[in-house]
Amino acid sequence: MTVPALSHTKLLGSISGLLQVASLLGLLLLLFKAIQFYLQRKWLLKAFQQFPGPPSHWFFGHKVNNDQELQEILSRVEKFPGACPYWLWGSKARFIIYDPDYMKVILGRSDPKSHGIYKFVAPWIGHGLLLLNGQTWFEHRRMLTPAFHYDILKPYVGIMVDSVQVMLDKWEKLSVQDKSLEIFEPISLMTLDSIMKCAFGHQECIQVDRNSKSYIQAVMDLNNLIFDRLRNVFHQNDVIYSLTSSGRTHHRACQLAHEHTDKVINQRKAQLQDEGELEKIRKKRRLDFLDILLFAKMENGSSLNDKDLRAEVDTFMFEGHDTTASALSWIFYALATHPEHQQKCREEVQGLLGDGASVTWESLDMMTYTTMCIKEALRLYPPVPTVSRDLSKPVTFPDGRSLPKGVSVSLSFYSLHHNPKVWPNPEVFDPFRFAPDSPRHSHSFLPFSGGSRNCIGQHFAMNELKVAVALTLLRFELLPDPTRVPILIPRLVLKSKNGIHLRLRKLC
């Protein structure tokens, strides 16, 4: 046999050997994953043995159409009291809670946010107040709490009024066309404008800035991408996900969001190079949100690094506008579909403000019936439908049933608010549930979560909701579009698959 032939034979032998080794390693990996799958599923079945639920496939779990997930969970509320397991696939499940006593137990603990869920949010908003845990979370919470003191919130009302009026002026021009208007995007621009001016010291109106629309679109894309990734077993690995079209879209959307927040931070840093601006800051009794971050000193004396600074700005840029936009959009929809309550709110606002006066800090607490309607809309359409925790230690609920450490628990505020054992006739819009003297369970109404990790900006949000509702009802009658009924879908915030369309009738 010639030398070249021998070399060729050896090469083929080497390749064959490598393929055999690769095949063996592949089989071993497959066997390892199968054993891992079996053991994890066995552990979860044992953990959930006290909690019956609907039957699920051993591999595919509870297969539910994404558009029907909220309705599917509600169908379980009456059949399986308190809580039940929800299988994403054979080895991954969440424990869904929709009972106020169960909520009170979990929210009274200090369990960390669910890593398996919120790790997909981290590339976007980083580890700010939403995702932090333990002592670091406590330090950041204590550092940022003064930014939401009533002395800080009081002058924000005027800024909110201006932002809402810009949106309403644009709506007035569109209302003459007698067509329905998709309201979520313009409301998102308005709430972004408001948070930018109030918390981040931005001077310009971003509702007329095209770049702001790209940020809003990036946030919408990230909401959908993260939700879809959570439910796709093949997209759990970061490397594999980065190679998919969804992964590339996610990366671009994160870049857009980060460019927006970096611009905000750099502009404020540039302003603080001016001695006059620095002197203004020193004379302030209380600092705004971004200034607190820029001047912050942690307990060890160190300042926030750039990564932590951007994480907090990304977090509050998102939470400060998207959750409020969701809440306000659904409030408008609820009022449009219940005209008798809309009119009562309008009459209350007109009695307080007349047709020409503007909303003031003092008038916010006088909107009793309007506040009742806002809260009832928040019950029907909670802006954040679910939050999740990983149990750091075993828990026993008031009925004696228990769960071990390590279970991922989802607190379904949407299901809680639609639980007929908590709220009789839960689908009926009844503002008198929130009349001043109406009794209710301390954890039956949680639009801003509860416990120590409740929403730090809830008073800011409620003020903005009251301002927007009052000013809008003075200028427009809100009417539903019967041809475009919203299809509710759970994302990081509660959205509609087909948008929220209303007709606006200008009042004389």
Side-chain angles (χ1 to χ4, degrees), residues 461-473:
M462 278 299 294
N463 290 346
E464 188 167 19
L465 296 176
K466 291 180 186 180
V467 168
V469 169
L471 293 177
T472 302
L473 294 186

Side-chain angles (χ1 to χ4, degrees), residues 342 346 475-479 503-507:
Q342 179 185 162
R346 182 176 294 108
R475 291 178 64 172
F476 296 103
E477 180 184 358
L478 305 175
L479 302 164
R503 289 172 53 232
L504 308 173
R505 181 177 295 162
K506 189 178 183 306
L507 299 174

Side-chain angles (χ1 to χ4, degrees), residues 227-281:
F227 180 86
D228 291 341
R229 187 180 181 187
L230 282 168
R231 282 151 180 75
N232 191 324
V233 65
F234 302 108
H235 285 176
Q236 303 301 296
N237 181 274
D238 289 342
V239 175
I240 293 174
Y241 185 65
S242 67
L243 298 175
T244 66
S245 60
S246 294
R248 291 190 292 272
T249 303
H250 178 271
H251 179 70
R252 287 193 298 271
C254 284
Q255 281 186 317
L256 276 171
H258 293 159
E259 287 171 6
H260 178 80
T261 49
D262 285 342
K263 182 179 178 181
V264 171
I265 295 168
N266 292 332
Q267 282 181 343
R268 189 57 180 155
K269 282 183 175 180
Q271 290 171 354
L272 294 177
Q273 297 300 312
D274 181 83
E275 287 296 327
E277 189 68 22
L278 270 175
E279 189 59 32
K280 288 180 187 177
I281 298 297

Side-chain angles (χ1 to χ4, degrees), residues 419-435:
N419 188 338
K421 293 183 179 178
V422 181
W423 301 98
N425 301 313
E427 305 308 318
V428 174
F429 185 86
D430 180 9
F432 289 97
R433 301 180 202 267
F434 295 95

Side-chain angles (χ1 to χ4, degrees), residues 51-92:
F51 300 91
S56 64
H57 190 275
W58 69 271
F59 185 79
F60 296 109
H62 289 115
K63 300 308 292 180
V64 179
N65 188 307
N66 285 346
D67 299 346
Q68 301 298 319
E69 181 169 332
L70 291 174
Q71 289 72 21
E72 172 63 24
I73 293 174
L74 289 185
S75 70
R76 305 177 187 191
V77 172
E78 289 190 75
K79 296 177 185 176
F80 309 104
C84 72
Y86 177 76
W87 291 86
L88 294 171
W89 53 83
S91 62
K92 187 166 185 176

